[in-house]
């Protein structure tokens, strides 16, 4: 999978893409991540990529031209399944959305900033709009990182234990069961006996029950 990210702040991605699962996915060639500085595609003096809003008002608006030039350059290399704008007025991101995007070949993620992005960008280029929650962040960079993490860990061969993405919270519509590691007794707080029993079938059943009970208690809305 190819993911190209368009941003005014490319340095924000460096650590996140060089750590843990994402780093491993890149090293194994499961995903190719490229971060592009929109400013590099500006033809204006001082590489300007934002301007004052028509009609007045506060804040700057990202200009259409540098984004157009960057997207056009990318589309000359390969066809893209989707051009995704990270925006608080987008479709709420969910595990189901992540599963769907994980089946795509090539994606462009566009990070908005400042007051917004010239509306013509949406009209001319954007095919999907995604929000990571009902709150406003300073830009689409953190949402793009959240998106990449959620999608990349689902790609075949990325997680060591092939089944572990399937037992994640939300993957079957329920929250995950509790997990424990050594010691079996920590200052008197014990690991449930069943997990030490060696009875795989009983453990599976216990996990399913715990998963259901936890969902009922913490997220009853998921059971509806
Ligand atoms: N940009 C700013 N806030 C955002 C949000 N909640 N989701 C996606 N993109 C955003």
């Amino acid at each position: 999978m190819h993911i190209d990210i368009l941003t005014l702040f490319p340095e924000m991605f460096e650590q996140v893409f060089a750590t843990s699962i994402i780093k491993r996915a890149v090293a194994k060639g499961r995903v190719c991540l490229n971060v592009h500085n929109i400013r590099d595609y500006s033809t204006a003096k001082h590489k300007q990529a934002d301007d004052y809003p028509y009609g007045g008002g506060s804040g700057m608006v990202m200009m259409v031209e540098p984004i157009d030039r960057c997207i056009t350059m990318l589309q000359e290399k390969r066809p893209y399944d989707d051009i995704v704008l990270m925006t608080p007025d987008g479709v709420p991101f969910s595990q189901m959305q992540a599963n769907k995007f994980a089946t795509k070949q090539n994606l462009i993620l566009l990070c908005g900033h400042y007051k917004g992005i010239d509306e013509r960008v949406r009209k001319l280029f954007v095919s999907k709009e995604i929000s990571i929650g009902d709150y406003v962040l300073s830009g689409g960079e953190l949402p793009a990182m959240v998106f990449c993490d959620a999608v990349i860990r689902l790609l075949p061969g990325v997680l060591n234990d092939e089944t572990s993405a399937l037992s994640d919270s939300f993957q079957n519509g329920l929250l995950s069961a509790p997990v424990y590691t050594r010691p079996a007794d920590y200052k008197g707080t014990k690991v449930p006996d069943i997990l030490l029993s060696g009875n795989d079938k009983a453990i599976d059943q216990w996990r399913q029950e715990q998963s259901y009970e936890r969902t009922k208690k913490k997220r009853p809305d998921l059971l509806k």
Side-chain angles (χ1 to χ4, degrees):
M1 175 185 237
H2 268 266
I3 306 181
D4 289 277
I5 296 158
L6 277 57
T7 170
L8 292 170
F9 300 95
E11 65 282 0
M12 283 181 74
F13 293 85
E14 284 166 18
Q15 287 286 326
V16 172
F17 287 176
T19 310
S20 186
I21 307 275
I22 299 187
K23 177 186 178 185
R24 200 166 72 208
V26 172
K28 281 179 158 181
R30 306 292 165 168
V31 66
C32 179
L33 293 168
N34 283 304
V35 182
H36 308 271
N37 190 341
I38 295 168
R39 222 174 275 288
D40 293 342
Y41 296 84
S42 170
T43 53
K45 61 179 175 188
H46 310 305
K47 301 225 169 253
Q48 185 187 356
D50 59 310
D51 210 338
Y52 294 100
Y54 275 119
S58 63
M60 302 292 272
V61 175
M62 288 169 67
M63 299 159 77
V64 63
E65 199 215 3
I67 294 171
D68 181 355
R69 294 183 70 227
C70 186
I71 290 175
T72 303
M73 175 278 294
L74 290 170
Q75 283 176 328
E76 277 165 9
K77 294 189 188 179
R78 62 186 73 83
Y80 284 87
D81 297 292
D82 272 311
I83 300 181
V84 184
L85 175 64
M86 310 313 295
T87 173
D89 57 16
V91 175
F93 195 50
S94 61
Q95 190 62 48
M96 213 199 297
Q97 292 277 336
N99 292 345
K100 276 190 201 152
F101 280 112
T103 65
K104 310 280 181 184
Q105 279 304 308
N106 304 310
L107 296 172
I108 290 176
L109 304 187
L110 182 52
C111 306
H113 231 272
Y114 306 126
K115 203 64 201 158
I117 210 156
D118 189 307
E119 189 62 22
R120 289 165 293 187
V121 170
R122 299 193 204 224
K123 190 170 172 201
L124 294 172
F125 306 110
V126 171
S127 60
K128 298 258 163 59
E129 300 183 11
I130 293 288
S131 161
I132 63 159
D134 287 341
Y135 39 83
V136 179
L137 298 164
S138 322
E141 284 75 15
L142 290 169
M145 290 179 221
V146 167
F147 179 101
C148 285
D149 191 294
V151 170
I152 290 169
R153 60 193 298 289
L154 297 173
L155 300 177
V158 168
L159 295 183
N160 279 337
D161 176 358
E162 288 285 294
T163 63
S164 80
L166 293 175
S167 59
D168 285 342
S169 279
F170 300 110
Q171 200 56 270
N172 61 358
L174 299 176
L175 303 181
S176 297
V179 293
Y180 297 86
T181 186
R182 288 187 295 175
D185 183 337
Y186 186 70
K187 297 181 179 173
T189 306
K190 294 191 175 129
V191 172
D193 286 338
I194 183 111
L195 295 178
L196 310 175
S197 69
N199 182 341
D200 290 342
K201 211 172 150 205
I203 292 172
D204 254 3
Q205 173 150 14
W206 178 86
R207 286 191 171 135
Q208 277 176 35
E209 284 161 14
Q210 290 290 314
S211 185
Y212 179 78
E213 288 306 320
R214 187 168 263 203
T215 309
K216 197 163 97 180
K217 188 162 164 223
K218 297 171 108 172
R219 290 293 305 276
D221 56 299
L222 295 176
L223 295 175
K224 285 187 191 119

